């Protein structure tokens, strides 16, 4: 099979592998869980609503009655919830093979997480930064473990205002710019995390992926509902199915040829859809210095230290 036609058939058997998928009840996360379940993985579907999670789990079980899935409560917009999730996980799992940091929100109006962070950076980046730090022992205990951060083509040409990281009081808040910054943060975090693993000689890899433009629930804040409904036929022409959109993150999580900092996305025009391949990041902001700045700020804000 050529490198440009990677499919779920390329996923190896995952028996005895433990995988956490954040935002596993919907869209790309749910599709990833279908694929992992088909390969016998032990899956933790981490969701902010366990009711939604149980419903999604039943969907998977309908197709695959032997799927091994535990639904677990995780609200990435609440550090206390992240801590509780990590404590519960560690009680039952000494090791973690794959942490798929997939959950996200897009273009939400200005709002704050429980801990007072602007919600897009808070959920998409800071929540995952905290979660990964709290699960570090389990990743360390597992040889060749991986952390996959899900970014977006929206990171291209984006920047982060380190002087106003949390967009204080919502002054000059732009839902789109805040989303772009949070997706750039996912890539800076991948770089910082890989540097951390290398420096500490930890046998874990940090990688990232993006799904192009995929048909999921992510677009609920893009426009008023009536306009989205009206535009949907047009939007569908530009999008791919979630099942296909999840392939880059799946590939990033299991491909044996993957190296730290690799970034997967679709191979089609403008990376909007297509087969999952290695792609390039595109932002002058993606520097070691900024990765380190974001890392330090994230440690201070979340009170979670990786050392
Ligand atoms: N779809 C695309 O075209 C596209 C493009 C580029 C990047 N992405 C990225 O892909 C990832 C997955 O998104 P998707 O497209 O699959 O969208 P989706 O269908 O809306 O799924 C997002 C998931 O994240 C969960 N989530 C949101 N806030 C959370 C929180 N505070 N704590 C825990 N979970 C939370 C959602 O839970 P609820 O169901 O409870 O809301 C849902 O399960 C995101 O990181 C997104 O930025 C998507």
């Amino acid at each position: 099979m050529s490198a440009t036609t990677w499919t779920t058939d390329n996923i190896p058997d995952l028996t005895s592998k433990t995988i956490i998928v954040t935002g596993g009840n919907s869209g790309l996360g749910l599709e990833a869980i279908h694929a992992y379940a088909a390969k016998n993985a032990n899956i933790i579907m981490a969701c902010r609503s366990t009711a939604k999670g149980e419903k999604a789990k039943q969907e998977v079980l309908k197709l695959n009655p032997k799927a091994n899935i535990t639904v677990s409560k995780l609200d990435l917009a609440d550090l206390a919830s992240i801590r509780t999730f990590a404590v519960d996980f560690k009680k039952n799992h000494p090791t973690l093979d794959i942490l798929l940091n997939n959950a996200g929100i897009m273009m939400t109006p200005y709002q704050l997480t429980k801990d007072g962070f602007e919600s897009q950076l808070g959920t998409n980046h800071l929540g995952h930064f905290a979660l990964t730090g709290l699960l570090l022992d389990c990743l360390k205990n597992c040889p060749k473990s991986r952390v996959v951060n899900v970014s977006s083509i929206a990171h291209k040409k984006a920047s982060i205002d380190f002087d106003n990281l949390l967009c204080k009081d919502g002054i000059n808040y732009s839902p789109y710019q805040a989303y772009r910054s949070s997706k750039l943060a996912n890539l800076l975090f991948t770089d910082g995390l890989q540097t951390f693993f290398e420096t500490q000689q930890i046998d874990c890899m940090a990688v990232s992926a993006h799904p192009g433009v995929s048909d999921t629930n992510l677009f609920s804040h893009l426009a008023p509902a009536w306009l989205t409904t009206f535009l949907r036929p047009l939007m569908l022409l530009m999008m791919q199915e979630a099942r296909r959109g999840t392939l880059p993150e799946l590939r990033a999580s299991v491909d044996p040829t993957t190296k730290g900092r690799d970034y997967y996305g679709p191979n089609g025009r403008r990376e909007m859809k297509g087969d999952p391949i290695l792609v390039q990041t595109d932002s002058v902001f993606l520097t070691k210095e900024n990765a380190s700045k974001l890392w330090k700020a994230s440690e201070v804000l979340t009170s979670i230290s990786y050392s």
Side-chain angles (χ1 to χ4, degrees):
M1 195 167 283
S2 90
T4 54
T5 54
W6 196 94
T7 70
T8 50
D9 292 344
N10 294 73
I11 301 176
D13 180 60
L14 297 171
T15 303
S16 81
K17 302 280 184 202
T18 302
I19 304 176
I20 295 176
V21 181
T22 70
N25 63 287
S26 171
L28 306 169
L30 179 55
E31 289 301 336
I33 286 177
H34 276 289
Y36 290 138
K39 300 290 178 167
N40 313 309
N42 171 24
I43 302 157
I44 290 81
M45 183 190 275
C47 322
R48 60 178 162 177
S49 156
T50 49
K52 282 190 194 174
E54 291 296 345
K55 201 165 162 235
K57 175 178 167 177
Q58 292 312 315
E59 252 182 63
V60 182
L61 287 175
K62 243 189 248 168
L63 293 178
N64 182 351
K66 288 188 179 155
N68 183 357
I69 302 172
T70 307
V71 174
S72 197
K73 166 97 178 157
L74 170 71
D75 184 353
L76 290 160
D78 178 1
L79 289 173
S81 166
I82 300 170
R83 286 187 190 280
T84 304
F85 172 89
V87 169
D88 288 350
F89 176 82
K90 286 178 179 176
K91 269 186 208 151
N92 302 311
H93 304 89
T95 60
L96 173 59
D97 293 84
I98 298 169
L99 172 58
L100 181 51
N101 284 332
N102 160 84
I105 51 174
M106 182 174 81
M107 292 178 65
T108 44
Y110 180 71
Q111 54 199 15
L112 300 178
T113 68
K114 288 254 167 61
D115 307 280
F117 309 146
E118 180 281 307
S119 65
Q120 295 194 76
L121 190 82
T123 305
N124 299 353
H125 166 63
L126 291 170
H128 284 125
F129 178 89
L131 178 68
T132 307
L134 291 169
L135 295 175
L136 209 52
D137 289 348
C138 302
L139 291 163
K140 278 184 189 170
N141 288 343
C142 180
K144 305 208 177 309
S145 51
R146 286 190 199 188
V147 177
V148 181
N149 294 320
V150 178
S151 183
S152 165
I153 44 183
H155 90 273
K156 294 187 181 208
K157 314 273 188 287
S159 61
I160 291 176
D161 182 358
F162 281 112
D163 294 330
N164 189 15
L165 196 57
L166 299 181
C167 198
K168 197 168 174 343
D169 299 330
I171 295 162
N172 296 329
Y173 176 76
S174 149
Y176 182 50
Q177 296 308 333
Y179 179 69
R180 295 179 71 206
S181 297
S182 75
K183 292 288 119 180
L184 177 63
N186 294 143
L187 293 171
L188 287 168
F189 175 40
T190 302
D191 188 25
L193 189 59
Q194 181 61 28
T195 302
F196 173 78
F197 289 147
E198 286 165 2
T199 315
Q200 301 290 315
Q201 299 187 323
I202 296 170
D203 188 10
C204 182
M205 209 188 273
V207 293
S208 15
H210 81 83
V213 188
S214 300
D215 186 16
T216 68
N217 292 326
L218 192 72
F219 299 87
S220 56
H221 294 282
L222 193 63
W226 66 267
L227 188 56
T228 313
T229 309
F230 180 70
L231 291 176
R232 189 165 161 77
L234 198 67
M235 285 166 69
L236 284 177
L237 290 177
M238 295 187 296
M239 288 177 164
Q240 56 185 351
E241 286 182 335
R243 189 170 305 171
R244 196 153 188 232
T246 199
L247 290 175
E249 46 192 284
L250 284 171
R251 185 168 186 179
S253 70
V254 297
D255 189 324
T257 66
T258 301
K259 298 185 296 304
R261 296 189 183 84
D262 275 354
Y263 181 42
Y264 288 91
N267 68 350
R269 190 171 164 268
R270 296 188 181 182
E271 296 173 20
M272 287 167 78
K273 43 181 162 178
D275 296 324
I277 58 161
L278 280 173
V279 293
Q280 298 298 315
T281 56
D282 180 11
S283 168
V284 290
F285 214 82
L286 274 165
T287 63
K288 295 278 166 231
E289 194 192 345
N290 285 331
S292 166
K293 251 187 183 174
L294 181 68
W295 184 278
K296 283 179 191 146
S298 305
E299 281 194 327
V300 170
L301 287 166
T302 62
S303 304
I304 284 167
S305 164
Y306 276 57
S307 50

